[in-house]
Amino acid sequence: NYLIEHSIAGGDSFTVDSIKNYKQSSINDVSKHEQPVEKLVFLHQIDAVACISAKTRGFRLYDPASCTVRQEVSGQRAHRGSIINCCYLDGWNQLATAGADMNI
């Protein structure tokens, strides 16, 4: 959504082709995942990609340029269920997660 919203906000320079112009990255994720990746969220405020895996209570923050793990966050204290989504809160300089346990 982020890429599409910012392309649309470009005004007159927006065309349908500007959305379709993606290129495959040559960078590969070589880290091991215990569960399938459920969601990737780009957090432009901190220039990071949050990787949320299925049926897990934690997540990883990746450097988008090198696809290396910046930080792995264990969810043992945060959620009793798996993480569903996340977003960055500018005013608090924090990352918020929403869990299947219906907590933020």
Side-chain angles (χ1 to χ4, degrees):
N1 288 345
Y2 174 79
L3 294 174
I4 294 171
E5 288 169 4
H6 284 308
S7 292
I8 291 172
D12 295 335
S13 63
F14 171 73
T15 65
V16 174
D17 292 328
S18 62
I19 294 174
K20 296 179 186 177
N21 198 5
Y22 292 111
K23 296 178 183 174
Q24 182 175 350
S25 174
S26 61
I27 300 171
N28 291 318
D29 178 12
V30 293
S31 62
K32 179 160 175 46
H33 297 270
E34 299 296 325
Q35 297 290 333
V37 172
E38 179 113 348
K39 182 178 270 195
L40 296 171
V41 180
F42 179 62
L43 306 164
H44 64 91
Q45 299 94 328
I46 57 172
D47 192 32
V49 174
C51 178
I52 301 170
S53 295
K55 300 177 185 175
T56 58
R57 298 186 298 172
F59 61 93
R60 292 179 181 166
L61 287 179
Y62 281 85
D63 181 316
S66 63
C67 200
T68 55
V69 178
R70 281 190 195 165
Q71 187 173 4
E72 187 159 353
V73 179
S74 170
Q76 294 178 5
R77 295 177 300 174
H79 291 284
R80 289 174 288 168
S82 59
I83 294 176
I84 297 171
N85 207 346
C86 69
C87 69
Y88 188 77
L89 304 171
D90 282 325
W92 290 278
N93 294 325
Q94 292 184 359
L95 186 71
T97 58
D101 59 358
M102 298 183 356
N103 285 314
I104 296 176

